[in-house]
Amino acid sequence: MAGTSSSEQTVSTRLLRIAELARNAPGMALTTLAHHIDIDWMREAYRRTRKDGAPGVDGQGADAFASDLEVNLRSLVDRAKSGTYRAPPVKRIYIPKDDGSMRPIGLPTFEDKVLQRAVAMVLEAVYEQDFHSCSYGFRPGRSAHQAVDDLGGTALHMAGGWILEVDIARFFDTLDHAHLREILSQRVRDGVLLRLIGKWLNAGVMEDRALSHPDAGTPQGGVISPLLANIYLHTVLDEWFARDVVPRLRGQAHLVRYADDFVMLFAHEDDARRVYAVLPKRLAKFGLTIHPDKTRLIPFRRPDLPLGGCQPGTFDFLGFTFYWGSTRNGKWSVKRKTSKKRFSRSLRRIREWCRRWRHLPLREQQQALGAKLRGHYGYFGVIGNSAAIARFAHEVTWIWRGWLSRRSQRGRVRWDKMREYLRRFPLPAPRIRRPYQT
């Protein structure tokens, strides 16, 4: 236990040094970073790696790796630094999506996850000094709620304007490897780190014993993938927007991005249309494509202000629908509620769970459904959204009753019987958990 604490303190100090070096040398390529990765660093990387994931192609889980932890960590760091580490292919499985199709999921080996975490820790310390404040996804101390608070607060402050809602088609599958390497080399030129990242990009995917090597996309399921995506979009989008776009606009503009999901807000329509016209060209330069059916320009001016005869619309971001509404004292405010798409998707997942596990004891069903409801309230329980979460709780009760009715020959569970079940096995009541931060 003392050794773990010592490792954490040692690594924390080194992370601060890396961050200070990057902060004091903005724009400079750093060449000596891999020397920080030693056995203490690997212990900390192991501690930060989730232990409950399914095994990869080698079949080794976290328990097997931990059975001889020190030997495995030393072997891993030695192979990484000597160049003899071979990145294993990612095991691909499929899980059902809400629309009935199948979603591919990548399962790296546990050993690979630990090494990716070790490298990600170094890169994060560097790039956190460069990233813009508009970026919220997969960053320490930042969350989706902060992103929606930022967007809502800025829209209120600007009295709205024009919203450019953008969807990048299959971003994580189409991220260009050559461009990523070039972007990385602008800030990191440590041979060990770049070699490892190159191996992960080229490791390939194993599916039904068939190995393929995609020439684009981030390492599937890899812990380093979200960071590589942020690094890519920092250069492609965030830096470009701040450096080249905003100074050329007539009015205010604001970008909020969470991973590849982003929204732009403009004070003037002509600014919005100019950026809308040039954005596809900017993304295409780096191998990315805008989804034509999911990208749109929306008027979002405060309702009491002129908008050329247009009524303010609504838009979705991170599961919320943003709209203008009046407060109790009659003032206009930017409000948000659960989006229809997210509401329906969440109910479909509840329905599928109840169908699959309807024969479990009621106590176990209550505990599982209670956890799902608390998670829903924790995310969507914001001021102004009480009606939506109350309706969600109501729908879950109906779904539970419906599937309980199907698990026996006695027919439908009457409401008096269901009320008795709910008295004995109550579900958590909807509640507002998150006030607005704006």
Side-chain angles (χ1 to χ4, degrees):
M1 198 69 181
T4 301
S5 177
S6 175
S7 294
E8 290 179 35
Q9 293 177 2
T10 300
V11 170
S12 178
T13 301
R14 293 179 188 174
L15 286 170
L16 291 174
R17 290 174 183 167
I18 296 172
E20 184 179 9
L21 175 64
R23 188 166 52 250
N24 292 336
M28 188 180 81
L30 306 179
T31 58
T32 56
L33 293 170
H35 69 279
H36 291 287
I37 302 178
D38 59 8
I39 190 63
D40 285 328
W41 195 278
M42 296 304 295
R43 289 193 194 101
E44 179 62 10
Y46 168 79
R47 188 186 70 83
R48 297 187 185 189
T49 302
R50 287 185 57 178
K51 314 297 191 297
D52 56 352
V57 293
D58 63 352
Q60 183 187 56
D63 291 341
F65 188 86
S67 63
D68 202 359
L69 182 60
E70 288 297 306
V71 171
N72 287 331
L73 291 178
R74 290 186 184 278
S75 170
L76 189 55
V77 71
D78 289 345
R79 284 179 285 141
K81 290 193 171 185
S82 66
T84 59
Y85 180 77
R86 297 184 62 184
V90 174
K91 180 180 178 181
R92 176 181 285 170
I93 63 172
Y94 291 86
I95 61 173
K97 293 174 64 176
D98 297 325
D99 60 6
S101 62
M102 303 298 287
R103 181 193 303 276
I105 297 294
L107 301 177
T109 64
F110 184 78
E111 178 183 71
D112 207 44
K113 290 180 184 178
V114 175
L115 186 55
Q116 285 192 33
R117 177 64 66 191
V119 173
M121 287 160 56
V122 178
L123 295 181
E124 187 177 83
V126 173
Y127 280 97
E128 275 299 312
Q129 317 314 309
D130 298 347
F131 288 158
H132 290 271
S133 60
C134 65
S135 168
Y136 288 90
F138 306 105
R139 292 183 58 190
R142 292 183 153 238
S143 69
H145 283 108
Q146 291 176 333
V148 296
D149 286 341
D150 180 1
L151 182 56
T154 304
L156 180 63
H157 176 74
M158 290 174 57
W162 288 79
I163 291 287
L164 182 55
E165 185 181 32
V166 184
D167 183 275
I168 301 178
R170 300 175 60 244
F171 168 72
F172 285 93
D173 296 329
T174 58
L175 185 151
D176 185 84
H177 291 176
H179 285 306
L180 176 60
R181 290 189 179 94
E182 181 181 352
I183 289 170
L184 282 168
S185 68
Q186 294 171 7
R187 197 64 164 116
V188 175
R189 290 185 189 163
D190 185 292
V192 173
L193 299 186
L194 294 179
R195 184 168 58 240
L196 285 171
I197 293 171
K199 289 181 177 182
W200 286 320
L201 294 175
N202 297 324
V205 176
M206 182 72 73
E207 182 178 353
D208 295 330
R209 299 184 180 180
L211 180 62
S212 61
H213 292 85
D215 56 5
T218 57
Q220 283 201 354
V223 297
I224 202 170
S225 293
L227 178 56
L228 294 179
N230 268 339
I231 293 170
Y232 200 79
L233 285 177
H234 166 74
T235 295
V236 174
L237 184 66
D238 305 350
E239 187 71 12
W240 169 74
F241 187 79
R243 183 191 64 232
D244 298 334
V245 174
V246 172
R248 291 177 168 84
L249 299 180
R250 184 162 65 94
Q252 284 183 273
H254 190 65
L255 166 68
V256 179
R257 181 175 66 81
Y258 190 94
D260 63 325
D261 196 352
F262 66 94
V263 167
M264 295 175 177
L265 170 63
F266 301 89
H268 298 294
E269 181 182 1
D270 57 341
D271 285 340
R273 294 196 178 278
R274 286 171 58 200
V275 175
Y276 194 5
V278 75
L279 182 61
K281 301 173 186 176
R282 172 65 182 181
L283 296 180
K285 182 179 177 181
F286 293 88
L288 302 175
T289 305
I290 284 181
H291 197 298
D293 300 327
K294 297 180 180 179
T295 300
R296 59 195 185 120
L297 190 60
I298 305 146
F300 197 69
R301 196 70 171 162
R302 203 173 67 198
D304 61 330
L305 297 176
L307 193 61
C310 297
Q311 292 297 316
T314 66
F315 65 94
D316 293 347
F317 184 58
L318 300 181
F320 288 97
T321 295
F322 288 73
Y323 66 101
W324 284 101
S326 59
T327 63
R328 291 181 178 178
N329 59 10
K331 294 183 178 181
W332 288 107
S333 178
V334 176
K335 298 190 174 184
R336 60 184 188 257
K337 60 185 177 181
T338 312
S339 70
K340 292 181 179 179
K341 181 178 179 181
R342 183 65 67 87
F343 191 92
S344 299
R345 187 172 75 185
S346 298
L347 284 182
R348 280 196 297 268
R349 290 177 175 174
I350 293 288
R351 190 174 291 109
E352 175 59 26
W353 188 93
C354 288
R355 182 196 68 80
R356 185 176 181 183
W357 301 106
R358 64 186 183 275
H359 294 295
L360 287 177
L362 284 177
R363 175 65 69 188
E364 293 183 29
Q365 292 191 46
Q366 174 218 25
Q367 292 172 348
L369 289 173
K372 295 177 186 299
L373 282 169
R374 282 188 290 271
H376 189 87
Y377 303 154
Y379 188 79
F380 291 104
V382 299
I383 291 176
N385 199 32
S386 56
I389 61 173
R391 187 160 63 91
F392 186 81
H394 176 75
E395 294 288 345
V396 169
T397 301
W398 273 81
I399 291 170
W400 193 21
R401 171 179 172 259
W403 283 106
L404 289 178
S405 297
R406 299 189 187 193
R407 71 175 191 167
S408 71
Q409 302 295 325
R410 299 179 181 178
R412 180 167 293 275
V413 174
R414 295 169 59 90
W415 272 110
D416 56 350
K417 184 65 174 177
M418 189 63 193
R419 281 190 286 269
E420 173 62 21
Y421 287 159
L422 291 171
R423 186 187 65 80
R424 294 168 53 201
F425 309 104
L427 295 177
R431 57 177 297 189
I432 298 299
R433 294 180 178 272
R434 291 183 175 273
Y436 280 130
Q437 300 299 314
T438 57

